[in-house]
Amino acid sequence: MKKIKMITPLVEMDGDEMTRVLWRDIKKILIEPYVELKSEYYDLGLTHRDETCDEVTIKAAEATKRLGVAVKCATITPNAQRVEEYKLKEMWKSPNGTIRRILDGTVFRAPILAKGITPYVPGWTKPIAIARHAYGDIYNSVEDKAEEGQSAYLVICDKDGKEVRRKLVHEFKAGPGIVQAVHNTDKSIEAFARSCFIFALSEKLSVWFGAKDTISKTYDHRFKDIFADIYEREFRADFESAGLYYMYTLIDDVVARVMRSEGGILWVCKNYDGDVMSDMVATAYGSLGMMSSVLVSPDDKYEYEAAHGTVTRHYYKHLKGEETSTNSVATIFAWTGALNKRGELDGIPELCSFAKKLERATVETIESGFMTGDLAPLFKREGVAVNKLNSKEFLNKIAEKL
Ligand code: NAP
Ligand code: MG
């Protein structure tokens, strides 16, 4: 068979643990037999990040700015236990946080639906896409500990470093404690608002945004005002003629409304809310393994990945030589998303159509009753028996269908 040729390389970011194992197999079984894969490879596995003092993560993000499209494997965000486990020089920052900061984008997550997998929330008959602001808040925070008797202040300086305002955060009179400073920028929030409205129009979704402006009267309120302003000035007319709307309400109210809704909306979340809620939404649609994710920057750079992590528990089984049944669907969709986008940008229709066929083969494999262990207990389709496959068998089954 003649392989499909590429023009511009993809930025390929390898990762950790079970997803690193799947990564290699997906390429070998589902992509390389059909595509003459061109990629600029960056190893974001934790060992290599440590060896390069995390330089590799920055290089990979910069390559994405240069080449335009990246595909990323899940990576470990080290905590104290990982520092010990991998004997790290430092507790390196979240690679996703670093990449998001450099690309200043919005993360859109959407569940991959397959017939036979009914959501845990039965009312959710349409997909709920989540837009996660990918810049600032606690992901670029400054934190510290304070001893008893110390005080923490929020200080604003002018461009020469001269203090213009100082507010007391807390006097730690009664014992030690902790402090945290977070920030965001108007520019990033504006870009976030625009990319959400553009994405929603292209996917024909109404937009719900929730924050906590009643408590956070300056910080969260700024988000609310910027969204309202941009919607009124730039998007209201287009939304109304498409029969769509934009709604802002408190985050707790949005949570309640989402539970009662039938889906078919773009739920806009601040950075932390999007991190947490996308896991809830993904699980509710069936499995974390069925949630795709793309980071879109305001200057049209794309980074595709699965929404889940490195599936550590399965990896430890794999290391012991035991069989795993890890769902590779979201990681496959990261590849197809990136290949399709590369095909669009470089004018290679065969590449786009290959990506769509691989997606269809993946979903149809599940719909015909062949799936990994996370989906097997959820699958119900008349006249179709459930076959639970191991990680590799599932990929081979998709290859057969493809
Ligand atoms: P996780 O890797 O998403 O896994 C949590 C659990 O969800 C798994 O133990 C598994 O449940 C289930 N699961 C997730 N993905 C699955 C899949 N593809 N197939 C089958 N089951 C799946 O989250 P975590 O355990 O909290 O984090 C593990 C590591 O991943 C951490 O080091 C974290 O820093 C990193 N992480 C990376 C990213 C990223 O790179 N984007 C995102 C999140 C977390 P069962 O064990 O019940 O089978
Ligand atoms: Mg998360």
Side-chain angles (χ1 to χ4, degrees):
M1 198 186 120
K2 220 171 101 234
K3 291 193 193 181
I4 300 163
K5 286 206 169 23
M6 294 178 63
I7 300 169
T8 316
L10 285 177
V11 179
E12 177 184 349
M13 307 183 195
D14 209 343
D16 288 300
E17 298 196 311
M18 200 57 213
T19 40
R20 189 181 179 98
V21 176
L22 295 178
W23 195 258
R24 199 193 50 212
D25 289 341
I26 290 170
K27 277 172 67 178
K28 202 168 73 195
I29 299 170
L30 295 176
I31 301 187
E32 285 167 348
Y34 311 98
V35 178
E36 219 165 86
L37 185 64
K38 268 195 184 177
S39 77
E40 213 175 280
Y41 179 87
Y42 294 86
D43 183 1
L44 267 56
L46 187 50
T47 310
H48 192 241
R49 270 183 278 149
D50 194 48
E51 282 163 9
T52 61
C53 294
D54 212 21
E55 220 21 67
V56 65
T57 308
I58 294 162
K59 288 218 171 92
E62 280 166 357
T64 309
K65 286 199 121 164
R66 177 164 43 82
L67 294 173
V69 185
V71 57
K72 180 181 171 292
C73 181
T75 45
I76 292 170
T77 297
N79 53 17
Q81 180 255 319
R82 298 294 199 170
V83 172
E84 179 65 22
E85 182 184 353
Y86 282 81
K87 305 276 171 270
L88 300 179
K89 295 179 206 154
E90 240 180 72
M91 199 189 294
W92 304 110
K93 290 199 166 172
S94 152
N96 286 56
T98 302
I99 296 164
R100 284 178 207 133
R101 187 165 39 75
I102 294 173
L103 293 178
D104 183 11
T106 301
V107 177
F108 294 98
R109 290 187 172 166
I112 300 153
L113 303 188
K115 294 190 192 95
I117 310 289
T118 317
Y120 285 105
V121 181
W124 289 358
T125 51
K126 299 176 187 166
I128 295 172
I130 288 203
R132 171 180 172 188
H133 188 203
Y135 178 84
D137 300 356
I138 59 165
Y139 301 85
N140 308 102
S141 67
V142 179
E143 304 187 321
D144 217 334
K145 287 180 180 161
E147 302 301 330
E148 179 172 344
Q150 294 182 332
S151 301
Y153 292 90
L154 183 65
V155 177
I156 305 279
C157 297
D158 67 14
K159 62 180 193 309
D160 304 316
K162 202 171 128 259
E163 191 174 317
V164 288
R165 280 196 302 284
R166 163 181 294 248
K167 288 180 177 175
L168 179 67
V169 176
H170 192 69
E171 287 178 74
F172 291 88
K173 282 182 184 154
I178 41 184
V179 279
Q180 182 184 60
V182 298
H183 79 280
N184 227 299
T185 64
D186 285 4
K187 181 165 168 272
S188 176
I189 301 167
E190 285 162 9
F192 176 46
R194 286 197 182 93
S195 53
C196 288
F197 291 132
I198 291 168
F199 181 88
L201 278 173
S202 79
E203 302 289 314
K204 309 235 173 318
L205 301 169
S206 284
V207 176
W208 294 4
F209 178 30
K212 201 73 188 178
D213 63 290
T214 45
I215 300 298
S216 173
K217 292 185 195 316
T218 303
Y219 198 100
D220 278 20
H221 213 287
R222 190 82 195 127
F223 279 81
K224 178 183 172 180
D225 289 345
I226 288 175
F227 265 74
D229 188 46
I230 288 181
Y231 179 70
E232 288 304 327
R233 278 194 291 127
E234 300 172 26
F235 292 96
R236 181 184 276 282
D238 286 346
F239 268 65
E240 283 177 355
S241 60
L244 304 170
Y245 63 92
Y246 165 64
M247 173 182 81
Y248 174 87
T249 178
L250 287 172
I251 179 74
D252 18 8
D253 184 38
V254 172
V255 168
R257 284 168 188 263
V258 164
M259 293 310 292
R260 293 194 302 264
S261 84
E262 58 164 11
I265 46 166
L266 176 67
W267 180 4
V268 174
C269 293
K270 287 181 63 202
N271 210 341
Y272 176 81
D273 298 336
D275 184 349
V276 176
M277 291 307 175
S278 60
D279 284 28
M280 185 196 71
V281 170
T283 306
Y285 274 105
S287 165
L288 276 176
M290 298 291 280
M291 188 77 148
S292 66
S293 180
V294 55
L295 172 72
V296 184
S297 79
D299 53 348
D300 268 342
K301 313 293 178 201
Y302 298 80
E303 184 246 307
Y304 293 84
E305 59 175 282
H308 59 77
T310 59
V311 211
T312 311
R313 197 182 66 82
H314 296 209
Y315 182 60
Y316 290 154
K317 278 177 74 177
H318 170 82
L319 285 182
K320 280 193 269 173
E322 290 173 31
E323 198 170 84
T324 61
S325 182
T326 314
N327 189 337
S328 46
V329 171
T331 308
I332 294 170
F333 272 64
W335 276 98
T336 54
L339 290 170
N340 179 60
K341 182 54 75 180
R342 205 57 278 172
E344 270 175 35
L345 295 175
D346 291 348
I348 316 172
E350 312 86 86
L351 195 57
C352 300
S353 113
F354 168 75
K356 292 296 154 204
K357 281 177 192 159
L358 177 50
E359 289 183 356
R360 213 167 67 225
T362 303
V363 170
E364 283 178 7
T365 298
I366 297 169
E367 293 179 343
S368 63
F370 296 91
M371 63 204 77
T372 45
D374 53 324
L375 299 180
L378 310 172
F379 187 81
K380 264 188 207 74
R381 213 177 167 202
E382 217 166 281
V384 183
V386 183
N387 303 270
K388 182 187 152 184
L389 305 180
N390 68 34
S391 307
K392 192 86 162 257
E393 286 168 347
F394 180 61
L395 293 174
N396 285 324
K397 201 74 194 170
I398 297 171
E400 238 173 66
K401 183 79 83 189
L402 184 63

